Amino acid sequence: MKKIIFLPIETETRELDAKLALASKLTDKDTTCLVGQHNVLNDLVHLFTNGGTYIGKNIFLDAMQSTNDIYNSYKAHKFSILWYHEEGGIYSGDKEKWRIVLEELLDPSRLSSDDHILCWGSFQKDFFDSSRSRVPSTVVGGYRFDLRQNSTLRKLIEATSRVEEKDYILVNTAFSNGNHHIPNQVLYKQDQESFRSNKDYKFRLLDEYSDDVKKMGYFCEMLSYVMKNNPDKKFVLRPHPTESLEFYRNAFHEFDNILISNEFSAVEWISRCSLLIQNGCTTSVEAYFLEKPVIDYYPFISSHGVDVTRGIGLFGKTPEEVNKILKNIEYSQDIKANKEELY
């Protein structure tokens, strides 16, 4: 009897390539992997009465605010859950805030003894182990970041990339807390209302929203400056999948040397770029393993910002500093800060 493995996808542009590479490692004559959108896989579970393995986090769709309905449907069909939050541990704030994030993501007591927690690093493992849950945990790292030379994922990206542009400066933004809400403010209001009883979270949500709005303004200022001073260079702005494209298209609609797109996956764009500019984004880790130069643009340091990736590339605080760096930047294997947190 064949083993069945479900590999759910939440955001295609972020996960599909890596999930296909992972499936190629797991599939053999005795094992079948189903890679698909998580809701579709949920609808298929009733077809597999002899059980299987589910690798992912979408059994709890809204983290710990969700019910156990999806989880129970898998357990009713004899599935074991390998719970895995595959963001790579790139969280905002300091380690105390990382603990808050992990607490919101999973309560291990909701899992069963035949389940398992897969961790991106020792910090996450130590946190979940401290709950003294009956569910074991193992550090497995982040398979999305297995982009080293000759890796399956890197070969897949190089062979199938849909990006036609080459030799451009890629600017990846991760301002979804702010830009996700700008086109429709009622979404932000609904988020606040859903945490009416949690005052700390409401203040945190407001602070993160304000931070993102400020960072977007700084990024537009920086992009305007470097485009003006480098008219012969091409720029590609790729927002986070949950950000609004319209904000950026309205801001830059009269500029000829910038393309704004959320098509394709981040690694496809990174693999063809000559340089990445980022601010607290997992794409900086992917760029590092793809051996691309990185500029960390941090116009201000925030207690709510994602600072763990600062140090992968060269640091710039002003548009002038960014412009000076991009003139002669080269890839460096040396991580200049936060080394402990990244390993």
Side-chain angles (χ1 to χ4, degrees):
M1 185 180 299
K2 282 208 168 192
K3 300 174 185 176
I4 302 298
I5 298 176
F6 277 21
L7 295 176
I9 292 175
E10 182 176 72
T11 305
E12 180 181 331
T13 57
R14 184 178 62 193
E15 302 168 50
L16 180 58
D17 297 322
K19 285 280 169 70
L20 291 174
L22 178 61
S24 74
K25 299 287 188 180
L26 298 174
T27 304
D28 56 31
K29 64 183 180 63
D30 299 315
T31 308
T32 297
C33 283
L34 278 75
V35 180
Q37 201 276 340
H38 59 90
N39 290 315
V40 174
L41 293 185
N42 295 343
D43 291 338
L44 296 177
V45 66
H46 71 280
L47 300 175
F48 299 90
T49 56
N50 293 313
T53 302
Y54 179 104
I55 305 175
K57 62 181 170 65
N58 299 103
I59 39 131
F60 302 123
L61 287 183
D62 195 19
M64 289 302 93
Q65 293 189 77
S66 62
T67 69
N68 275 9
D69 292 350
I70 297 173
Y71 175 79
N72 289 339
S73 70
Y74 279 94
K75 302 310 287 187
H77 291 86
K78 303 177 185 177
F79 270 70
S80 293
I81 307 299
L82 303 187
W83 186 92
Y84 187 31
H85 188 251
E86 55 207 66
E87 297 303 308
I90 309 300
Y91 301 146
S92 64
D94 56 18
K95 289 185 177 180
E96 186 54 42
K97 289 181 180 173
W98 297 1
R99 294 184 181 94
I100 294 172
V101 171
L102 293 175
E103 191 174 66
E104 292 170 349
L105 286 173
L106 177 68
D107 176 357
S109 68
R110 294 176 72 170
L111 299 175
S112 303
S113 57
D114 64 312
D115 298 330
H116 205 103
I117 300 173
L118 305 183
C119 302
W120 41 256
S122 58
F123 182 91
Q124 189 187 37
K125 175 177 170 57
D126 292 345
F127 177 86
F128 288 130
D129 287 351
S130 69
S131 69
R132 297 183 180 178
S133 165
R134 58 183 174 170
V135 182
S137 65
T138 302
V139 175
V140 297
Y143 67 90
R144 281 178 53 204
F145 303 129
D146 187 10
L147 291 161
R148 65 190 186 280
Q149 286 280 1
N150 297 317
S151 70
T152 300
L153 180 54
R154 186 156 175 170
K155 288 179 179 178
L156 176 65
I157 297 300
E158 291 173 347
T160 64
S161 178
R162 295 161 290 180
V163 175
E164 296 180 356
E165 290 80 3
K166 294 181 180 179
D167 194 29
Y168 49 84
I169 295 173
L170 178 62
V171 181
N172 277 344
T173 64
F175 307 142
S176 56
N177 284 321
N179 196 16
H180 177 65
H181 293 103
I182 283 177
N184 189 352
Q185 285 293 315
V186 71
L187 295 175
Y188 175 73
K189 182 181 178 183
Q190 289 170 353
D191 271 6
Q192 287 280 15
E193 289 175 349
S194 66
F195 288 91
R196 182 173 283 125
S197 61
N198 188 334
K199 291 184 178 180
D200 288 341
Y201 185 88
K202 287 199 296 184
F203 279 110
R204 192 177 100 203
L205 189 63
L206 177 59
D207 288 345
E208 290 174 350
Y209 172 77
S210 301
D211 268 7
D212 274 6
V213 172
K214 286 188 288 186
K215 281 187 282 191
M216 283 191 296
Y218 277 113
F219 258 71
C220 288
E221 176 191 38
M222 178 271 295
L223 264 175
S224 173
Y225 184 88
V226 296
M227 285 193 297
K228 181 180 179 180
N229 284 275
N230 300 274
D232 58 329
K233 293 186 182 296
K234 185 172 184 178
F235 295 82
V236 173
L237 175 62
R238 186 183 181 278
H240 187 277
T242 59
E243 284 191 73
S244 166
L245 287 177
E246 292 310 305
F247 173 84
Y248 298 112
R249 285 174 174 165
N250 289 336
F252 295 105
H253 76 283
E254 284 296 319
F255 292 80
D256 296 328
N257 58 336
I258 185 169
L259 170 66
I260 299 166
S261 175
N262 62 358
E263 288 188 305
F264 318 137
S265 66
V267 287
E268 287 177 273
W269 286 106
I270 296 168
S271 68
R272 298 289 176 89
C273 79
S274 56
L275 164 69
L276 171 71
I277 302 175
Q278 68 94 32
N279 176 288
C281 185
T282 55
T283 56
S284 60
V285 182
E286 291 163 325
Y288 175 78
F289 288 117
L290 284 169
E291 301 169 89
K292 299 291 182 176
V294 176
I295 294 178
D296 304 323
Y297 180 53
Y298 281 79
F300 63 93
I301 305 301
S302 167
S303 61
H304 299 283
V306 180
D307 294 336
V308 68
T309 61
R310 187 162 41 91
I312 288 179
L314 296 178
F315 180 81
K317 189 176 181 180
T318 66
E320 292 81 5
E321 289 177 2
V322 171
N323 190 59
K324 182 178 179 180
I325 294 169
L326 67 81
K327 296 289 187 181
N328 300 295
I329 190 171
E330 295 181 356
Y331 171 73
S332 172
Q333 288 187 323
D334 184 32
I335 297 176
K336 294 179 170 45
N338 303 312
K339 191 173 295 187
E340 177 187 349
E341 287 86 347
L342 284 167
Y343 288 133

